[in-house]
Amino acid sequence: MLRTIRTLALEEVETLVDWAAQEGWNSGLGDAALFQAADPQGFIGAFVEGEMVAGISAVAYGDDFGFIGLYICRPDRRGAGHGKAVWDAGMARLGNRTIGLDGVVEQQANYRSMGFAPAYRTIRFVGLPDVPAAVGSDICAIGPDLVPDILDYDRRFFPGPRQSFLEHWLRPPHSALAVVKDGAIAGYGVARRCRDGCKVGPLFADNLDTASRLFAALAQMCGPGNVHLDVPETSGQFADLLPSAGLQPGFETARMYKGSAPQLTQSGVYAITTLELG
């Protein structure tokens, strides 16, 4: 068996995202191209006789931080070492950076054995939101003029620079809203259409009230159908409010890091951006 490891082209990233959807991750409808924009060399596959049999994302955010995700081996090709091969390639690509991932419960012991330590749990909330209409003239759509300020604000809550990714993530057809107070960003959030309903992420804010109003506004923009968001346990009371808004907790993951855990304003992270890219 001759196995080839190489960087994925866009259509192969699309295949990997489809595999994730089949595993129940409810991927966004346009995720592949937007994910690739974060780091075009950061998606790696194993191929046997020209067929992709396993894949992984190993996205570098600058020189100091990277994120592992989309680690999937095709079910009919498991047990042959293809998953381990792409894992090794992804880890080698990220080198000495601090590396993050969101591990499902069943794999956390495995990740621990490879040097990853848990930082906090994240809970997926899903449901038909029943929230009051968002109020406040300080909520506005994010246009090109706000992007530089959003990039600065984002660095409080995310471990590395991700300008290319956000410049794509903030554009239509995604719904991207910010709260601006006295000329400064006080919070922002993005909603995107997924296989099932919409997903909100990120949702970053200065405080609970701002996060709640942003979530209400984004939920209204999503329209009918389920809304999904991945809420870290560090978000305080926000998770306690979601069941009364019609969302129920589902599966959980753990944010884990290999290397020094980033020093962030973690209490302001009300929903992470994605399980795949951090």
Side-chain angles (χ1 to χ4, degrees):
M1 175 188 67
L2 180 61
R3 179 169 57 220
T4 301
I5 305 292
R6 63 169 175 80
T7 302
L8 300 182
L10 176 57
E11 61 270 20
E12 293 159 345
V13 178
E14 290 172 345
T15 296
L16 186 57
V17 170
D18 285 342
W19 288 357
Q22 293 164 20
E23 296 283 333
W25 290 91
N26 192 31
S27 307
L29 299 182
D31 279 359
L34 303 181
F35 286 176
Q36 193 187 47
D39 181 0
Q41 304 303 310
F43 297 81
I44 299 167
F47 294 80
V48 175
E49 296 179 351
E51 287 191 356
M52 187 163 73
V53 295
I56 197 169
S57 58
V59 171
Y61 295 103
D63 296 331
D64 299 321
F65 183 68
F67 202 86
I68 291 285
L70 292 170
Y71 177 36
I72 306 172
C73 184
R74 223 170 68 188
D76 62 319
R77 303 305 293 264
R78 290 173 183 169
H82 303 310
K84 180 65 163 55
V86 294
W87 172 270
D88 289 345
M91 293 296 288
R93 181 174 192 274
L94 295 179
N96 293 323
R97 295 173 175 85
T98 291
I99 302 172
L101 58 78
D102 287 311
V104 297
V105 172
E106 299 78 24
Q107 291 297 323
Q108 287 169 19
N110 186 36
Y111 294 136
R112 283 177 185 265
S113 72
M114 292 185 284
F116 285 81
Y120 54 83
R121 295 184 309 137
T122 297
I123 308 298
R124 168 71 55 86
F125 280 83
V126 183
L128 299 171
D130 180 13
V131 291
V135 295
S137 59
D138 54 356
I139 299 178
C140 62
I142 297 174
D145 57 322
L146 273 185
V147 170
D149 292 333
I150 294 292
L151 293 174
D152 288 340
Y153 188 77
D154 188 75
R155 287 305 308 273
R156 300 186 199 177
F157 309 102
F158 192 80
R162 50 179 183 170
Q163 177 174 348
S164 180
F165 171 75
L166 285 178
E167 285 176 345
H168 289 77
W169 199 251
L170 297 170
R171 295 175 189 165
H174 290 187
S175 299
L177 298 177
V179 171
V180 182
K181 293 185 176 181
D182 299 323
I185 304 296
Y188 90 95
V190 179
R192 74 192 195 277
R193 191 69 55 188
C194 294
R195 265 70 168 180
D196 172 56
C198 282
K199 196 176 290 183
V200 172
L203 181 59
F204 299 158
D206 287 357
N207 53 54
L208 178 61
D209 176 69
T210 300
S212 298
R213 290 194 299 118
L214 270 172
F215 173 67
L218 289 165
Q220 290 160 16
M221 295 181 77
C222 288
N226 284 327
V227 171
H228 307 243
L229 69 169
D230 296 301
V231 180
E233 62 182 348
T234 52
S235 65
Q237 293 177 294
F238 185 66
D240 299 332
L241 299 176
L242 290 173
S244 63
L247 279 72
Q248 298 301 320
F251 71 88
E252 72 174 68
T253 57
R255 173 61 58 87
M256 308 179 77
Y257 294 110
K258 181 179 174 66
S260 300
Q263 300 301 305
L264 302 169
T265 310
Q266 192 61 48
S267 61
V269 179
Y270 293 91
I272 66 169
T273 308
T274 74
L275 293 175
E276 296 88 349
L277 266 67

